[in-house]
Amino acid sequence: MIRISTIFIAICMVLVAASLGLVLYSVAGISGTESAIVALTALTFLILYNAVSMRLRDRSDVGGQIADLSRGTADLARQVAEFGRRLAAIEGRIASSNSTNSDRIQSVVGEINELGGLVKQLATTVSAHEDMLAGAAPAPSPAAAVTRPELEAPIDLIAAVEERPVAPPLPAAPQRPIVPSRSAPAVQTQGANPAQTANGRGQTQMLATLRNAVDENRIDIFLQPMVTLPQRKVRFYEAVTRVRDERDQLIAAEEFISIAEASGLIGRIDNMVMLRCVQVLRRLMVRNKDVGVFCNVAASTLGNSTTFGQCLDFLEANRALAPSLVLEFKQSTFRNLGPVETENLAALAQRGFRFSIDHVTDLRIEPRELADRGVRFIKVPANLLLDPRQASTSDIHPSDLSDLLGRFGIDLIAERIEGERAVVDLLDYDVRFGQGFLFAPPRPLRPEGASATGGASPNQAQDIQGSNGSASPSPGAASSAPPAQRITGNAALARRI
């Protein structure tokens, strides 16, 4: 847009040129044509003069702007150079810090590797001493296995939550006539022979005994710890179900589980066991929030809508314990899931409960599918992991199974560990958790624990302590009972042995 000053200057130049031509025509007597030519010449000269003067003025302005721009560019260049220097200094510090941290990490890794080597050497030495003791020790008698003090000692939950390490067997211990890896608790001794456990009773008598036990609340749970490897600190507990008959003899789950499923009693048993597990877990978490309890659930309970609805309501009420309560199913249950079982399993997973798989018979495992269904633990027998034939029959080598499951958030637990040599081999397989009689057998709870059988009479306690549930008390034994305070402390314990 043309400025007003430029228009005014142009008008002035036209007036000056016209005035000059008029003066020449009127005063000097020059003709009109010549006067017009002189006026146009004067106008052209004025226009050229104005253009040159404006160009010079603009050039000076542009020069000043260019000088300012040059100074700004120089300042910007100096700032960029300063930023580059600071960035180089920061990069040097970061590189120096990374180098220092890398050196520290390398030193720590070296120390950890040395400690791992020392632990393996210690485990190898203990295993060799154990083998020597096993070869020199006499064969244990059945009576000694039944009355073993280790099995009679109940679990003290207040002490258990401290997570003290399970110490390995001492090689020079004088009171170790038998090897724990070859021994079994009284319950398993009974479970090895169904006729002894059932006392010669048929399925009808066993069903009646089981029904009476459920009605009279004679369902007990034993706790077996799961420890970390190689530290052997207690991390979880598995609740093992036991049924007591009219004479307070213990019946293992292997003896009654099939009959309970066929008769429909397994749902009531699972409900009772689930209640005990929640009570135990609440008591454990008072002192330690990291402890967990594994609770076994039968396949028929998962598929029965009525029974499962009761379990789901109970678990919904205790949803706060979901991170610490692990529901355990058999491998065959997961492989034969129907639509109802799948839907019920998804309902449990939506409420935050985690699952575990036990009774694993082969290593054909799909970790992605199991992780999607909420499985976070898989318990594999130690002899199955260490079986060299599994490398050819499964899709993955057993030594790589722990890493494969870990990529999907599943922990591998080696169960039924019975010897130190197995522990040494499992450490090479990077197994983080272990369970078995080498660490601790299943033990009953103390009477102040979450058991509904703490009210046993002194006579019953004395009877079971003296005969392990296989004989009746004598009058003399009843009359020579210890003081009432001591009897009360052992009553519930005796009824679980």
Side-chain angles (χ1 to χ4, degrees), residues 115-131:
L115 290 176
L118 293 176
V119 170
K120 290 183 179 179
Q121 293 178 6
L122 177 62
T124 305
T125 303
V126 172
S127 176
H129 283 287
E130 183 187 35
D131 294 340

Side-chain angles (χ1 to χ4, degrees), residues 156-211:
D156 188 356
L157 293 181
I158 298 299
V161 295
E162 298 294 339
E163 283 196 2
R164 290 175 292 187
V166 180
L170 296 177
Q175 297 181 356
R176 190 179 175 85
I178 58 175
V179 182
S181 61
R182 302 295 181 266
S183 62
V187 175
Q188 292 225 350
T189 304
Q190 294 176 354
N193 190 345
Q196 284 185 348
T197 304
N199 290 331
R201 292 174 292 192
Q203 292 187 358
T204 305
Q205 294 177 340
M206 175 63 75
L207 178 59
T209 301
L210 186 60
R211 196 180 300 275

